[in-house]
Amino acid sequence: MLQLQVTARSTLGALTLHTGGLLLDDGRLRVFGGGPAGLGRVNRFPTTFDPGRHPGTGLVLAHDVLGGVFALNGHDPAAAGRPGAPGQVTHFARDSLAWEALDVGHSAWTSWLLSGQWASSYDGLRWPGWREETAAPAADQGIAVYPFLWSEQARRDLAATSRRPVPMRELLGTAEDFAQQSGLPDPGLLGDV
């Protein structure tokens, strides 16, 4: 809480102080709270308060099991290659390898998540048996899909892809590598995990 510089009255503060995080859609979306595997670890907070430490690109808020990332923009999103305004939530979409502005702050984003409305945005990223597969990986793992989600083959027939649990860091690293190889801006995913 001290490193975040938020109060317990804010949605971000309440989630951090009172929860270890949220698992939504049978574990498909993992929203980070407090605790040993929470916001502090994912965003590499120092173990003791450092008044000069601020997440440069933004604050990672959640991972989806396929390697998507939700982040709260820092003070200069354009310099970090992210769309949207400071303090707004952005989403790194694995099927496009790009950040997308959600045009909402953290409280509105959390309300959207808790309403369940967000789940429909994943309709194209579900396959028969997805609930069982997405609930199986450990908290620090995701599901690698091959051919990759951004490929024409995966878009045409996601059910025919090969899928396996891998460390989330590996999943994000692969997305970052492919984004750079494709001439897209560096998404900066590994700096946050």
Side-chain angles (χ1 to χ4, degrees):
M1 292 284 294
L2 185 59
Q3 194 64 51
L4 282 172
Q5 293 292 290
V6 297
T7 72
R9 290 185 308 241
S10 69
T11 304
L12 181 58
L15 281 172
T16 304
L17 183 62
H18 299 294
T19 76
L22 304 173
L23 292 177
L24 303 172
D25 207 19
D26 294 310
R28 184 181 191 103
L29 183 63
R30 302 157 183 172
V31 180
F32 301 106
L39 285 168
R41 179 170 172 242
V42 170
N43 290 284
R44 297 185 179 187
F45 282 5
T47 55
T48 59
F49 176 63
D50 178 356
R53 166 67 164 83
H54 303 283
T57 57
L59 183 71
V60 173
L61 301 170
H63 287 152
D64 75 45
V65 74
L66 296 176
V69 178
F70 288 92
L72 189 63
N73 274 339
H75 68 278
D76 190 358
R82 294 187 181 166
Q88 288 185 336
V89 178
T90 57
H91 176 243
F92 180 78
R94 280 297 306 252
D95 55 342
S96 68
L97 298 177
W99 285 99
E100 302 167 348
L102 299 184
D103 299 324
V104 296
H106 182 269
S107 293
W109 174 75
T110 303
S111 293
W112 176 65
L113 292 179
L114 295 176
S115 75
Q117 296 173 12
W118 69 276
S120 65
S121 63
Y122 281 86
D123 285 346
L125 296 172
R126 292 189 170 141
W127 57 90
W130 69 270
R131 283 192 191 279
E132 295 77 20
E133 282 186 59
T134 59
D140 62 347
Q141 291 183 314
I143 296 177
V145 176
Y146 187 80
F148 300 111
L149 288 173
W150 56 86
S151 71
E152 184 59 38
Q153 299 94 323
R155 289 179 188 185
R156 193 172 43 248
D157 189 3
L158 188 57
T161 61
S162 160
R163 296 171 300 278
R164 66 183 177 88
V166 298
M168 186 59 75
R169 187 164 180 76
E170 178 182 323
L171 193 56
L172 297 177
T174 300
E176 193 166 88
D177 288 346
F178 272 93
Q180 291 173 358
Q181 290 172 22
S182 301
L184 298 169
D186 178 353
L189 300 174
L190 291 178
D192 296 328
V193 177

